[in-house]
Amino acid sequence: MAGWTDYITNLTSQGITHAGIFGHDGSKWAASASFPTIDNIKDDFSKAFSAQPTGIMVNSEKYIFIRNQDNFAILRKGADGMVIMKLNQAYIVSIGINQKPEMLVSATNKIGEYLKTCGY
């Protein structure tokens, strides 16, 4: 198994601007160097998969929920996109500046599905 930072490097090498892996408790497992601040990470990620999500504050700017689908929450702020993939023990977060969220899903899903097979 690769180190956590290897997964982040993989995501950012695919054009994702910011990537992070966080435990369900909100702890940071790994993140790109310039990963933005998510104000209430534990609560916001949990709410992302609730029946009525509202949005997530990132660097004091609100990303609005577009939809939840399966184990993905898809968000948008203007031209920027965010995808949160829920695993058994963690969340993978991909943020793309001037990228539609749908463009982030494929790369995030590939890493997430592999981590699921490893029990995460």
Side-chain angles (χ1 to χ4, degrees):
M1 181 177 79
W4 294 117
T5 55
D6 293 337
Y7 298 117
I8 300 304
T9 301
N10 182 299
L11 290 167
T12 56
S13 72
Q14 296 183 60
I16 292 172
T17 310
H18 307 292
I21 302 173
F22 300 87
H24 283 187
D25 63 356
S27 62
K28 179 172 71 173
W29 294 8
S32 53
S34 58
F35 194 87
T37 301
I38 298 177
D39 298 342
N40 298 304
I41 197 163
K42 180 181 176 185
D43 292 336
D44 282 350
F45 286 178
S46 176
K47 289 177 187 174
F49 296 92
S50 70
Q52 296 180 325
T54 57
I56 292 180
M57 297 298 289
V58 178
N59 283 349
S60 299
E61 295 182 11
K62 190 170 189 171
Y63 277 72
I64 303 298
F65 281 95
I66 304 296
R67 71 180 172 275
N68 295 351
Q69 83 186 40
D70 302 322
N71 56 343
F72 278 95
I74 299 174
L75 303 93
R76 187 142 197 189
K77 179 188 70 73
D80 302 342
M82 177 192 292
V83 170
I84 304 170
M85 182 176 186
K86 184 177 182 179
L87 307 176
N88 295 327
Q89 298 179 37
Y91 297 101
I92 301 174
V93 182
S94 297
I95 300 172
I97 305 302
N98 292 316
Q99 292 178 316
K100 293 181 179 180
E102 293 77 9
M103 304 293 283
L104 308 172
V105 170
S106 178
T108 306
N109 188 55
K110 188 180 290 184
I111 297 289
E113 289 302 320
Y114 172 73
L115 290 174
K116 279 184 175 180
T117 67
C118 296
Y120 293 102

